[in-house]
């Protein structure tokens, strides 16, 4: 987990340069520009949702209700052909709006069936429909595109998105990579249902999110259909391709499980995957009902990825996971997937919670107690990376997957547990998952909920553990 700080690049640097230029233009020109502003400002969708860590991520002015993705991937040439149908609703009048798409070539774009003008500007696919869309209008965008998808490099130096493997592709989009394989409103603030129709060479399997609807082979290719009906953030979508052994069953709770395992990882993965139903049952007892109708795992062999991802309903592992990683990604189904971030700076709501689930699992299954996990971390000296920045305010996109977010985030929850007692603590977690099921949450909302459920003022505790720089004095 590196956290190399990188200088402002690309779009952000361009914005800074533009501001510098504007500062020097003659007053008359500046006045003209300002005058032109209000006339159009209300009709152009913003090029980002305003996330301070990822300013270009997502777009303003519309909500995508549903994505219909039809993809064909050639595992030999690594060429992708795609059609994306976005069913959206305008949240303001729109003469123009953006989608996020990184690389790939767009060959045709229609809005409600009529060809629309489009241009590319970094990750923004800028769309000008023939007629402006009214506020509240439902509309449909169809994008036909193709090319060789490539992962994006994130501020921390990791790669995500469409990552080719020796037998297909490992498709993991956190935080930015969804736009490497489909045009999207690429920020967790926008959640949508999805249908996937994925065609790959016969002998390969293509796995997406949600319920498996069936497969059909013809002319040397197999088409797999998937449906994710509960709302999902774009970064949690996958279309992972490879040679997989598939296992399907339904749990006692009626959850449809689909596991796909690279045969080279099968013997190492088997004893861990066998525990998936009992892990989901244990987490359901603790956090409330499992939020989706489907579950499963994709265990790939993707040696240069270096992380697992909580892809919705079906976490993705770059090699056979250990049990605590399975517990972690499963806990994300409640915390991160069902309850989504509003802003990437709140990432501890995902990673701190999933890490604390590992601690609780260990405590209740004959391993270390959560107190022991806490104490081991607390013993780290003040100069340790654990204390490098506070988890509630990691400071930049380069830090969102760093040790403080995971470990000190979990420590914050442990402090909360000690302050309110086990019964109230579990009630807080369940209420959080229930009240925000399928939608969003913020740190401020979590703090308020914890105070409401416990009847305690917890400002000091959260201030210390989430927001104070350096190693906290023990409470
Ligand atoms: N969210 C993942 C997990 O903890 C980790 C992850 C996703 C990640 N993308 C990443 C870690 C990029 C480092 C870099 O389960
Ligand atoms: Zn995680």
């Amino acid at each position: 987990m590196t956290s190399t700080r990188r200088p402002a690049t690309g779009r952000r640097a361009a914005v800074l340069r533009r501001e510098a230029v504007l500062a020097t233009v003659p007053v008359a020109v500046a006045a003209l520009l300002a005058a032109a502003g209000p006339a159009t400002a209300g009709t152009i969708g913003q090029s980002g949702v305003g996330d301070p860590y990822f300013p270009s991520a997502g777009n303003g002015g519309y909500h995508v209700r549903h994505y219909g993705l039809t993809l064909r991937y050639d595992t030999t040439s690594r060429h992708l052909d795609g059609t994306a149908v976005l069913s959206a609703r305008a949240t303001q009048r729109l003469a123009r709006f953006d989608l996020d798409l990184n690389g790939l070539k767009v060959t045709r774009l229609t809005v409600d069936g009529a060809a629309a003008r489009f241009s590319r500007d970094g990750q923004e696919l800028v769309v000008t429909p023939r007629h402006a869309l009214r506020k509240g209008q439902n509309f449909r965008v169809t994008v036909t595109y193709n090319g060789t998808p490539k992962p994006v490099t994130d501020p921390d130096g990791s790669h995500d998105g469409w990552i080719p493997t020796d037998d297909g592709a490992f498709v993991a989009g956190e935080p930015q990579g969804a736009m490497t394989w489909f045009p999207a409103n690429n920020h967790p603030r926008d959640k949508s249902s999805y249908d996937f129709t994925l065609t790959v060479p016969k002998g390969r399997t293509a796995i997406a999110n949600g319920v498996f609807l069936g497969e059909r082979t013809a002319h040397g290719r197999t088409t797999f259909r998937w449906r994710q009906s509960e709302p999902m953030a774009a970064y949690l979508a996958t279309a992972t391709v490879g040679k997989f052994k598939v296992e399907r069953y339904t749990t006692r709770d009626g959850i449809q499980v689909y596991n796909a395992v690279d045969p080279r990882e099968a013997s190492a993965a088997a004893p861990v995957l066998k525990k998936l139903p009992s892990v989901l049952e244990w987490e359901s007892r603790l956090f409330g009902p499992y939020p989706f109708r489907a579950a499963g795992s994709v265990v790939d062999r993707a040696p240069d990825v270096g992380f697992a991802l909580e892809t919705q309903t079906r976490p993705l592992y770059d090699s056979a996971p250990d049990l605590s990683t399975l517990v972690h990604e499963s806990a994300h189904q409640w915390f991160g997937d069902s309850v989504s971030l509003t802003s990437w700076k709140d990432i501890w709501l995902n990673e701190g919670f999933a890490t604390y689930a590992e601690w609780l699992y260990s405590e209740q299954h004959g391993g270390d107690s959560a107190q022991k996990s806490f104490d081991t971390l607390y013993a780290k000296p003040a100069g340790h990376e654990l204390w490098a920045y506070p988890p509630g305010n990691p400071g930049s996109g380069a830090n969102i997957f760093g040790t403080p977010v995971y470990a000190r985030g979990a420590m914050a929850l442990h402090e909360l547990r000690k302050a309110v007692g086990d019964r109230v603590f579990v009630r807080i977690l369940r209420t959080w998952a229930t009240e925000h099921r399928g939608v969003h949450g913020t740190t401020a909302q979590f703090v308020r909920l914890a105070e409401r459920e416990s009847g305690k003022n917890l400002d000091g505790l959260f201030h210390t553990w989430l927001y104070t720089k350096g190693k906290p004095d023990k409470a």
Side-chain angles (χ1 to χ4, degrees):
M1 252 162 256
T2 50
S3 40
T4 8
R5 271 180 184 278
R6 304 168 122 252
T9 51
R11 221 184 138 68
R12 179 75 195 127
V15 170
L16 293 172
R17 277 197 299 277
R18 193 151 69 232
E19 280 162 5
V21 170
L22 273 179
T24 65
V25 293
V27 177
V29 178
L32 268 176
L33 287 173
T40 50
T43 68
I44 294 179
Q46 291 291 319
S47 63
V49 298
D51 192 299
Y53 292 2
F54 297 95
S56 305
N59 302 286
Y62 65 93
H63 155 59
V64 181
R65 291 182 298 127
H66 181 80
Y67 291 87
L69 303 179
T70 304
L71 308 178
R72 175 194 284 229
Y73 189 57
D74 184 327
T75 47
T76 307
S77 67
R78 298 185 168 178
H79 188 86
L80 178 74
D81 276 294
T83 304
V85 181
L86 284 64
S87 305
R89 172 189 282 271
T91 54
Q92 62 170 77
R93 184 174 162 81
L94 281 178
R96 202 179 88 191
F97 62 89
D98 288 5
L99 302 171
D100 297 306
L101 184 67
N102 193 56
L104 303 172
K105 183 178 165 57
V106 174
T107 55
R108 184 171 162 78
L109 194 153
T110 65
V111 176
D112 288 333
R117 277 200 292 132
F118 62 89
S119 61
R120 307 291 295 270
D121 177 11
Q123 74 179 60
E124 306 302 327
L125 168 58
V126 182
V127 180
T128 309
R130 194 167 299 173
H131 305 290
L133 303 160
R134 295 181 319 276
K135 180 176 179 176
Q137 185 179 333
N138 288 318
F139 63 102
R140 179 172 289 210
V141 186
T142 303
V143 185
T144 311
Y145 59 100
N146 72 82
T148 308
K150 291 186 182 59
V152 281
T153 304
D154 296 315
D156 64 1
S158 59
H159 297 281
D160 79 295
W162 191 282
I163 305 173
T165 56
D166 61 0
D167 61 358
F170 183 92
V171 183
E174 189 182 28
Q176 302 195 83
M179 63 182 174
T180 67
W181 59 283
F182 66 99
N185 192 357
N186 190 23
H187 191 280
R189 214 172 289 180
D190 205 44
K191 299 179 72 166
S192 322
S193 56
Y194 286 72
D195 274 299
F196 303 86
T197 303
L198 309 174
T199 301
V200 292
K202 185 179 164 194
R204 310 292 158 115
T205 302
I207 304 118
N209 314 83
V211 172
F212 176 59
L213 297 181
E215 63 182 87
R216 171 172 286 173
T217 300
H219 311 297
R221 291 178 213 276
T222 306
T223 298
F224 295 82
R225 291 191 308 118
W226 299 90
R227 173 166 297 158
Q228 172 59 50
S229 43
E230 301 92 354
M232 177 168 77
Y235 80 90
L236 296 170
T238 190
T240 291
V241 180
K243 291 181 186 160
F244 292 109
K245 277 171 56 176
V246 170
E247 169 194 34
R248 293 174 63 193
Y249 58 88
T250 301
T251 69
R252 282 189 286 195
D253 293 337
I255 302 163
Q256 296 180 43
V257 175
Y258 186 110
N259 287 329
V261 181
D262 187 308
R264 296 167 291 185
E265 298 292 328
S267 63
V272 177
L273 292 196
K274 218 173 62 200
K275 299 220 162 160
L276 179 64
S278 71
V279 168
L280 293 178
E281 277 178 30
W282 177 80
E283 291 181 341
S284 302
R285 280 198 299 276
L286 214 50
F287 309 144
Y290 180 73
F292 309 116
R293 69 193 71 185
S297 330
V298 181
V299 181
D300 206 344
R301 176 171 283 191
D304 26 67
V305 170
F307 58 84
L309 182 64
E310 61 269 26
T311 29
Q312 189 156 308
T313 69
R314 195 159 291 113
L316 205 44
Y317 304 96
D318 64 348
S319 60
D322 57 20
L323 182 56
S324 67
T325 304
L326 183 94
V327 169
H328 179 108
E329 305 308 338
S330 298
H332 273 310
Q333 301 305 310
W334 284 261
F335 305 114
D337 291 9
S338 172
V339 182
S340 288
L341 298 178
T342 309
S343 176
W344 283 109
K345 74 166 176 1
D346 285 344
I347 183 72
W348 85 280
L349 291 172
N350 293 6
E351 302 305 347
F353 284 52
T355 303
Y356 201 69
E358 294 177 56
W359 295 8
L360 282 174
Y361 188 90
S362 160
E363 175 171 302
Q364 296 188 12
H365 294 82
D368 285 350
S369 66
Q371 185 63 47
K372 173 92 189 295
S373 302
F374 180 98
D375 291 341
T376 304
L377 287 165
Y378 194 76
K380 306 282 179 208
H384 191 271
E385 62 164 337
L386 171 62
W387 315 115
Y389 52 87
N393 186 17
S396 95
N399 288 339
I400 59 176
F401 300 118
T403 306
V405 169
Y406 286 70
R408 187 170 157 187
M411 294 174 87
L413 288 175
H414 189 68
E415 286 294 304
L416 172 65
R417 174 183 171 189
K418 283 192 296 185
V420 303
D422 287 4
R423 245 194 46 246
V424 174
F425 178 68
V426 171
R427 195 168 77 217
I428 290 168
L429 295 182
R430 291 176 76 96
T431 308
W432 180 245
T434 309
E435 286 188 357
H436 298 266
R437 179 174 169 133
V439 287
H440 298 87
T442 64
T443 301
Q445 288 171 334
F446 181 72
V447 170
R448 251 181 276 135
L449 186 150
E451 292 189 330
R452 191 186 76 208
E453 293 296 325
S454 66
K456 289 198 152 93
N457 183 329
L458 300 166
D459 286 358
L461 185 154
F462 285 114
H463 187 265
T464 300
W465 284 93
L466 293 181
Y467 295 114
T468 305
K469 283 190 185 163
K471 180 173 175 173
D473 294 332
K474 213 158 188 174

